[in-house]
C-alpha cells in the first residue's frame, strides 16, 4: 500500500535510452562523454559543508605499456564545490586543465599522453575559482611509467614466431618470457582461437595485442551450461599463497590499524614490498546462520566478523612490528596465520579483445581469471559475449583502465545469478577508471561490477548504460571503504535494483562507501541499500528522470545489537541535485529485511538537497520510537515530506515544509571521507 503513495509507478517503466554526447575539454579522454544538461526544477539548495576529503583524492593510473600508446589517466575527487575547474600538475608543472561545464562528473579526469616510459611522475591538481584565484593542491599521486623496456627482461616474444595451435604458440611465448625473467608476449592483428586456458603464473609478463579492434582471443570449446559453474577461463593469471611457518598475528588487528605485531616477522623474512593476506574465515551463508553460529554481525557499530579478509602491502619491518601501506578495513584475532602472496606480480593484459564465440553464444564463459595477482594492470581491453564473467579479480592492486564491455551476450540479461561482468572477489585496491559498460541503446546486460569480500575499491570516471539489475554492487559480503565517484550511471528504468546497489538480501549489509559527484539518469532507483548497509555518503550527485526512488534504504534489528542502534544506518544524503523525478526522493525505514526486519531508521543526515520530485521528497518510515536521531535541514524543492513525531536528538529546519525542531548535531560519520 505504501508504494503507491510515492508518486510514480510501482513497476519499472520502458523507455528508450539515447546516446550521451561527448564533451570536448582539452586532452580530457575522449571516452568521457557528458549528458545534455537538464534544468533543475527546484531552486538550488544551500551547500552544506561537512569538511574533509577522501584519502584517495588524486589517483594516477597508467594505460598500456606499449611506448607508442602509453598514457596516464589522472582522476580526482570533487571536494571543493566552489571550484570552476582544475589545473593538472605533473611534477609541479601544469600539463593541462579542465573546466566544470554542465554536469561535473566528467570534469575530474585528465589523460596525459606526453609521458616517457621509465620516468617517475607525481601528479596533483589545483582548483580554480571564478575570480581567478586558485586553491591548495591535492595529491600527489606518484607512479613510474612502464614501457616495453620496463617489463621484466624488456624483451618481446611474438606469439606467431612459435609453432602449433594458437594456444600452443601463446603458451610457448609465455614460457619463453618466464624463462627470460619476464617480458611482453605480443599477439598480432588477427583472431586467436584457444582450445583451453592460457596460463601465466610468473612475474612481469604482459600479454599485448595490436589493439582491441585488431586482436581477438576466442574459445573453441563450449562454455558451461550453468552460469554458476567454475568453468575453464580463456586466460588465467595465477598467483600462489604461501602460509608463513610459525608466523601469526601476535596481537589483534583493529579497523584503521596501519601496523601489526607479527610473531617471528623477521625470521619469516617479511620484507618491504611484499603483500600479506589475512583471512579469518567463517563457514556460514546468511545473517540467520551467522547468528546461530554466534558470529558477530553488527552494522550499527561497524563491527562484523562474517567476512574478515584483507590484503595489504608491507612498507617496513621493525623487529616484529610490520607497517602497511593501507589502513586495515577488517578486525583480525591474535594467533591468525599470515599468508604471503607470491608469483603473478606485475603482469598485465592490454590492447586486445577477449570474447565468447559469437554474439549468439548459448553457453557461459569466464574470459579472464586473476587469481591472487599483485600489481596487475588491464588497459584498453574489450570483453563481450561471455554471458558470465569478463573478469574474475582476486588479489592486490588490480587496475583496470579504459575497459570496454558493450555486450555481455544473449544470456546475460535474464536476471539470473552469477553473471557479474567484473566479479571483484577477495581483492584489495581494485581500481576501475575510464571504462564503458553496456550500450546506451539497450538494457540487454546486467551486473557490471560486483564487489564481494573486497576492500578499498575505486570506480571512477566511467560510464554505465542499460542493465536489468545494477551498474555497481557491494554484494553484502564484507566489503569496506569503497569509493564510487565521477561516473555516469544510466542503467535505465528496467534495472530492477538500482544504479548502485549496496548489500544483499542473502548475504547482508555493506559499507562504508562514498558515492560522490556521479550523474544518475533515467534509473528506476539511483541508490538502493539493503539489510542496514551503513556509513554510506551519497553526496554531490546529480539525478535526472528517476522513476521510483532516488535513495531507498531500510534497517534491521539484529538481536545481538544494542537496541539503541537498531535501524542505525549512519547515512548521509547531502548536496544532491534531483530533477524530473516521477517518483519519490529519499525513502527510508520500511520493514523489508527478510532476516531481522525493523520498521524505521536511525542516524540519518539529509541536508542541502534540491528535490525536483513528483512524489514526496523525504519519507521516513516508522514512528518516534523506531525512527529518531535524524538531521534534516536546508533542503529545497518539493515540500511533501513524511516523518514521525519529533523527539530528542532530531533536527529539522529550513526545509520547504516549514517545520522546525531541535538543534543541529552533525556527527563525525557524516563527513564525506573515511577519516
Amino acid at each position: 500500500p505504501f508504494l503507491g503513495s510515492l508518486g510514480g509507478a510501482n513497476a519499472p517503466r520502458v523507455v528508450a535510452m539515447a546516446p550521451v554526447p561527448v564533451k570536448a575539454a582539452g586532452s580530457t579522454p575522449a571516452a568521457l562523454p557528458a549528458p545534455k544538461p537538464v534544468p533543475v526544477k527546484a531552486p538550488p539548495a544551500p551547500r552544506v559543508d561537512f569538511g574533509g576529503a577522501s584519502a584517495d583524492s588524486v589517483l594516477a593510473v597508467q594505460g598500456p605499456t606499449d611506448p607508442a600508446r602509453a598514457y596516464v589517466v589522472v582522476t580526482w575527487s570533487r571536494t571543493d564545490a566552489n571550484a570552476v575547474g582544475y589545473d593538472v600538475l605533473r611534477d609541479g608543472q601544469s600539463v593541462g586543465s579542465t573546466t566544470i561545464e554542465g554536469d561535473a562528473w566528467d570534469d575530474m579526469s585528465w589523460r596525459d599522453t606526453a609521458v616517457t616510459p621509465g620516468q617517475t611522475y607525481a601528479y596533483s591538481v589545483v582548483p580554480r575559482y571564478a575570480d581567478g584565484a586558485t586553491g591548495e593542491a591535492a595529491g600527489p599521486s606518484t607512479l613510474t611509467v612502464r614501457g616495453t623496456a620496463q617489463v621484466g627482461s624488456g624483451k618481446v616474444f611474438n606469439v606467431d614466431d612459435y609453432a602449433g595451435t594458437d594456444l600452443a604458440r601463446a603458451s610457448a611465448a609465455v614460457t619463453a618470457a618466464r624463462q627470460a625473467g619476464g617480458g611482453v608476449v605480443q599477439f598480432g592483428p588477427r583472431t586467436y582461437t584457444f582450445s583451453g586456458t592460457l596460463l601465466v603464473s610468473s612475474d612481469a609478463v604482459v600479454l599485448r595485442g595490436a589493439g582491441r579492434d585488431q586482436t581477438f582471443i576466442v574459445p573453441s570449446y563450449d562454455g558451461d551450461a550453468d552460469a554458476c559453474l567454475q568453468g575453464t577461463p580463456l586466460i588465467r593469471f595465477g598467483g600462489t599463497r604461501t602460509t608463513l611457518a610459525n608466523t601469526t598475528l601476535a596481537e589483534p588487528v583493529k579497523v584503521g590499524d596501519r601496523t601489526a605485531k607479527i610473531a617471528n616477522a623477521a625470521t619469516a623474512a617479511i620484507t618491504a614490498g611484499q603483500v600479506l593476506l589475512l583471512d579469518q574465515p567463517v563457514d556460514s551463508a546468511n545473517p540467520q546462520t551467522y547468528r546461530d553460529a554466534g558470529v558477530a554481525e553488527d552494522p550499527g557499530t561497524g563491527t562484523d566478523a562474517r567476512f574478515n579478509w584483507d590484503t595489504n602491502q608491507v612498507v617496513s619491518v621493525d623487529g616484529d612490528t610490520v607497517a602497511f601501506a593501507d589502513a586495515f578495513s577488517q578486525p583480525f584475532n591474535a594467533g591468525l596465520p599470515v599468508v604471503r602472496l607470491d608469483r603473478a606480480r606485475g603482469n598485465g593484459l592490454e590492447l586486445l579483445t577477449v570474447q565468447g564465440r559469437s554474439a549468439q553464444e548459448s553457453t557461459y564463459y569466464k574470459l579472464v581469471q586473476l587469481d591472487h595477482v599483485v600489481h596487475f594492470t588491464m588497459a584498453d581491453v574489450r570483453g563481450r559475449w561471455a554471458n558470465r564473467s569478463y573478469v574474475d579479480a582476486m588479489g592486490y592492486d588490480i587496475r583496470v583502465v579504459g575497459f570496454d564491455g558493450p555486450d555481455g551476450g544473449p544470456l546475460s540479461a535474464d536476471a539470473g545469478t552469477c553473471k557479474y561482468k567484473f566479479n571483484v572477489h577477495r581483492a584489495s585496491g581494485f581500481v576501475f577508471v575510464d571504462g564503458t559498460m553496456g550500450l546506451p541503446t539497450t538494457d540487454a546486460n546486467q551486473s557490471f561490477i560486483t564487489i564481494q569480500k573486497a576492500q578499498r575499491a575505486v570506480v571512477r570516471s566511467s560510464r554505465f548504460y542499460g542493465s536489468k539489475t545494477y551498474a555497481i554492487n557491494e554484494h553484502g559480503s564484507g566489503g569496506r571503504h569503497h569509493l564510487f565517484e565521477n561516473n555516469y550511471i544510466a542503467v535505465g528504468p528496467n534495472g530492477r535494483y538500482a544504479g548502485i546497489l549496496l548489500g544483499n538480501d542473502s548475504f547482508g549489509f555493506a559499507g562504508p562507501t562514498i558515492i560522490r559527484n556521479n550523474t544518475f539518469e533515467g534509473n528506476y532507483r539511483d541508490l538502493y541499500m539493503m539489510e542496514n548497509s551503513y556509513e554510506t555518503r551519497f553526496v554531490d550527485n546529480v539525478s535526472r528522470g528517476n522513476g521510483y526512488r532516488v535513495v531507498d534504504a531500510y534497517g534491521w534489528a539484529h538481536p545481538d545489537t544494542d537496541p539503541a542502534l537498531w535501524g542505525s544506518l549512519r547515512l548521509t544524503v547531502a548536496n544532491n541535485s534531483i530533477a524530473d523525478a516521477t517518483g519519490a526522493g529519499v525513502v527510508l525505514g520500511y520493514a523489508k529485511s527478510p532476516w531481522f526486519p525493523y520498521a524505521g531508521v536511525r542516524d540519518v543526515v539529509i541536508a542541502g538537497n534540491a528535490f525536483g520530485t513528483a512524489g514526496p521528497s523525504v519519507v521516513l518510515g516508522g514512528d518516534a520510537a523506531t525512527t529518531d536521531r535524524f538531521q534534516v535541514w536546508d533542503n529545497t524543492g518539493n515540500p511533501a515530506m513524511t516523518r514521525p513525531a519529533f523527539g530528542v536528538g532530531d533536527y529539522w529546519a529550513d526545509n520547504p515544509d516549514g517545520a522546525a525542531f531541535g538543534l543541529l548535531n552533525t556527527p563525525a560519520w557524516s563527513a564525506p571521507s573515511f577519516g
Side-chain angles (χ1 to χ4, degrees):
F2 170 75
L3 301 183
S5 69
L6 294 182
N10 297 335
R13 299 169 295 127
V14 178
V15 299
M17 290 177 290
V20 177
V22 174
K23 178 191 294 185
S27 296
T28 301
L32 295 178
K36 182 179 179 180
V38 176
V40 177
K41 292 182 178 179
R47 180 175 176 82
V48 178
D49 184 8
F50 291 97
S54 169
D56 299 302
S57 180
V58 180
L59 180 63
V61 182
Q62 181 181 351
T65 62
D66 182 348
R69 310 191 200 197
Y71 62 81
V72 172
V73 171
V74 185
T75 64
W76 57 93
S77 299
R78 189 188 185 192
T79 55
D80 190 338
N82 295 316
V84 298
Y86 290 85
D87 293 325
V88 181
L89 309 183
R90 185 212 302 141
D91 297 334
Q93 302 297 314
S94 177
V95 293
S97 64
T98 66
T99 299
I100 298 175
E101 298 173 318
D103 293 350
W105 73 272
D106 58 347
D107 297 318
M108 309 295 138
S109 176
W110 180 265
R111 179 176 293 186
D112 186 2
T113 58
V115 295
T116 301
Q119 296 296 309
T120 299
Y121 300 112
Y123 289 92
S124 55
V125 297
V126 176
R128 301 192 315 275
Y129 304 106
D131 62 0
T134 58
E136 294 185 4
S141 177
T142 302
L143 83 167
T144 300
V145 175
R146 290 202 306 171
T148 301
Q150 288 75 41
V151 178
S153 66
K155 297 179 180 179
V156 176
F157 304 87
N158 292 302
V159 171
D160 291 334
D161 289 346
Y162 298 87
T165 65
D166 284 345
L167 180 58
R169 291 169 183 257
S171 297
V174 168
T175 297
R178 174 179 56 79
Q179 292 173 344
V184 172
V185 173
Q186 180 70 57
F187 292 83
R190 68 177 181 88
T191 297
Y192 293 81
T193 303
F194 288 177
S195 58
T197 299
L198 175 63
L199 174 63
V200 180
S201 59
S202 55
D203 295 342
V205 174
V206 171
L207 306 184
R208 179 191 295 165
R212 62 189 183 194
D213 294 320
Q214 298 187 66
T215 300
F216 303 86
I217 299 179
V218 184
S220 62
Y221 53 90
D222 286 344
D224 291 318
D226 186 297
C228 292
L229 297 177
Q230 289 302 307
T232 301
L234 193 59
I235 301 172
R236 176 174 175 262
F237 291 84
T240 58
R241 288 163 286 174
T242 303
T243 301
L244 302 179
N246 302 315
T247 305
T248 60
L249 290 181
E251 298 176 357
V253 168
K254 303 184 298 298
V255 173
D257 284 351
R258 287 181 179 268
T259 62
K261 288 281 190 180
I262 297 180
N264 301 315
T267 57
I270 295 176
T271 60
Q274 293 177 345
V275 173
L276 302 184
L277 164 64
L278 299 179
D279 189 4
Q280 192 169 289
V282 177
D283 184 16
S284 202
N286 59 50
Q288 185 62 56
T289 56
Y290 284 118
R291 183 200 171 192
D292 293 346
V295 176
E297 45 181 343
D298 187 356
T301 58
T303 58
D304 183 17
R306 301 172 304 147
F307 299 99
N308 294 41
W309 183 99
D310 206 342
T311 56
N312 215 327
Q313 182 163 313
V314 176
V315 173
S316 63
V317 180
D318 182 5
D320 286 347
T321 300
V322 179
F324 291 92
D326 301 302
F328 280 102
S329 294
Q330 300 277 10
F332 297 97
N333 297 332
L336 184 70
V338 175
V339 178
R340 187 179 64 224
L341 298 188
D342 296 319
R343 297 196 319 191
R345 299 169 59 92
N347 294 324
L349 183 71
E350 63 189 37
L351 297 166
L352 49 76
T353 290
V354 287
Q355 63 185 45
R357 290 179 296 190
S358 75
Q360 292 76 43
E361 179 56 52
S362 60
T363 60
Y364 298 94
Y365 291 99
K366 180 185 299 183
L367 298 180
V368 179
Q369 183 176 20
L370 308 178
D371 187 355
H372 292 91
V373 301
V374 174
H375 304 315
F376 183 94
T377 298
M378 179 179 294
D380 292 357
V381 169
R382 176 180 293 126
R384 60 184 178 183
W385 309 337
N387 289 324
R388 182 173 53 198
S389 312
Y390 296 148
V391 179
D392 273 3
M394 294 184 289
Y396 179 84
D397 186 27
I398 297 171
R399 302 189 173 204
V400 181
V401 187
F403 188 90
D404 182 35
D407 183 359
L411 303 182
S412 181
D414 61 1
T417 58
C418 304
K419 300 183 180 182
Y420 322 124
K421 295 302 166 283
F422 273 81
N423 181 23
V424 184
H425 188 208
R426 294 182 170 89
S428 293
F430 173 83
V431 173
F432 187 96
V433 297
D434 193 15
T436 303
M437 300 294 284
L439 294 167
T441 54
T442 178
D443 60 3
N445 278 290
Q446 68 180 51
S447 309
F448 290 133
I449 297 181
T450 298
I451 299 171
Q452 307 181 71
K453 203 173 184 179
Q455 321 303 329
R456 301 178 293 276
V458 177
V459 181
R460 265 186 181 167
S461 301
S462 296
R463 297 165 300 179
F464 299 90
Y465 294 116
S467 168
K468 292 286 176 56
T469 53
Y470 53 76
I472 307 169
N473 166 229
E474 200 297 307
H475 217 45
S477 49
R480 299 288 184 272
H481 298 111
H482 303 314
L483 181 63
F484 307 146
E485 66 179 349
N486 311 341
N487 301 293
Y488 178 75
I489 300 175
V491 298
N494 296 320
R496 63 191 180 102
Y497 293 118
I500 295 178
L501 171 65
L502 298 180
N504 181 279
D505 57 10
S506 294
F507 304 122
F509 54 86
T513 302
I514 296 172
I515 301 170
R516 177 170 51 205
N517 193 44
N518 304 281
T519 288
F520 296 87
E521 190 149 32
N523 302 311
Y524 180 56
R525 294 182 182 95
D526 293 333
L527 171 63
Y528 188 22
M529 296 168 55
M530 290 183 168
E531 297 302 322
N532 214 100
S533 293
Y534 68 100
E535 283 199 14
T536 298
R537 291 84 157 168
F538 187 84
V539 295
D540 295 305
N541 300 289
V542 171
S543 171
R544 285 194 295 267
N546 182 279
Y548 180 45
R549 297 172 177 175
V550 175
V551 177
D552 194 351
Y554 58 90
W556 70 349
H558 194 285
D560 295 338
T561 301
D562 183 340
L565 294 173
W566 285 354
S568 176
L569 297 179
R570 298 189 295 185
L571 167 68
T572 302
V573 181
N575 301 320
N576 302 289
S577 177
I578 300 161
D580 299 320
T582 60
V586 179
V587 181
L588 310 174
Y590 288 81
K592 295 182 181 178
S593 170
W595 307 110
F596 308 110
Y598 182 79
V601 289
R602 289 185 166 117
D603 301 323
V604 172
V605 167
I606 304 172
N609 303 286
F611 286 106
T613 60
S617 56
V618 177
V619 181
L620 302 181
D623 57 30
T626 61
T627 293
D628 56 13
R629 302 196 298 267
F630 51 84
Q631 309 278 298
V632 182
W633 81 94
D634 276 351
N635 300 288
T636 62
N638 193 329
M641 295 178 157
T642 300
R643 53 167 176 75
F646 294 125
V648 176
D650 299 335
Y651 176 65
W652 194 284
D654 298 319
N655 299 302
D657 65 345
F661 183 83
L663 299 175
L664 180 63
N665 175 26
T666 53
W669 49 257
S670 64
S673 66
F674 294 135

